[in-house]
Amino acid sequence: MKLKAPFFLWLAFVFLITNLLHEAGHWLMGAALGMDMKFGLNGVKYLSATTDWQRALADGAGPLVTIVQAIVAYVVVRRSASLKAFAFLYAAAFMRMVAGLVSVLHPNDEARLSMYFGLGKWTLPVLVAVALIALAIRGSKRFKLTWKDHLVCYLVASLAVSAIVALDRFVL
């Protein structure tokens, strides 16, 4: 394995940062539109009535922040081979992939936007997840990671996301 324990600790912490940035995107857009909202680790609650377009803008702001995070991290990875930046890239890709999978039961941000624009439930979730996963794969090639590295990244990511979701009920 090329990745060591400090990277995996950093990766777990980056998942918390990524979630907070993502939810901050929703919250800031909602606040800018005059919506009353409550901020959590893994979600925001809309406390006031919203129009469809306000909800679409607030729904799209979170994924937009995560997409920008992934692009910036990818550029840093390609230019400087920063493992710290790779953690931000991996977290963004994993987060949007999992959110897309959750859409089977509860439409995520991209699924709601996709339906709002008449594109069907799966168009935007699939496009966003595939694009971010492709960036993460390309970024990982910079480090020549082994299958064991990828497996441990996946396990750490799964545990981090599970912890964030579980802890969210105590915050919101």
Side-chain angles (χ1 to χ4, degrees), residues 39-106:
F39 189 96
L41 291 178
N42 191 45
V44 294
K45 274 191 177 172
Y46 298 93
L47 302 174
S48 58
T50 63
T51 64
D52 288 345
W53 70 269
Q54 286 175 315
R55 180 68 188 249
L57 285 173
D59 283 350
L64 182 61
V65 167
T66 306
I67 291 165
V68 169
Q69 171 185 313
I71 291 168
V72 169
Y74 176 76
V75 169
V76 172
V77 164
R78 296 298 293 173
R79 289 186 179 167
S80 65
S82 168
L83 278 173
K84 288 187 175 188
F86 177 69
F88 280 96
L89 174 57
Y90 189 91
F94 190 90
M95 176 187 182
R96 299 325 302 155
M97 178 193 72
V98 169
L101 293 173
V102 168
S103 287
V104 170
L105 300 173
H106 179 70

Side-chain angles (χ1 to χ4, degrees), residues 114-172:
S114 200
M115 291 185 293
Y116 176 79
F117 290 117
L119 301 172
K121 183 178 180 181
W122 295 105
T123 304
L124 291 178
V126 168
L127 287 175
V128 169
V130 167
L132 296 185
I133 290 167
L135 284 181
I137 290 169
R138 287 195 68 196
S140 75
K141 289 181 180 180
R142 183 84 159 94
F143 306 104
K144 297 181 173 106
L145 301 181
T146 68
W147 68 268
K148 290 178 184 178
D149 292 312
H150 287 289
L151 176 62
V152 178
C153 283
Y154 176 83
L155 294 173
V156 168
S158 297
L159 290 171
V161 168
S162 297
I164 290 165
V165 170
L167 291 171
D168 188 51
R169 75 176 92 169
F170 301 109
V171 175
L172 245 178

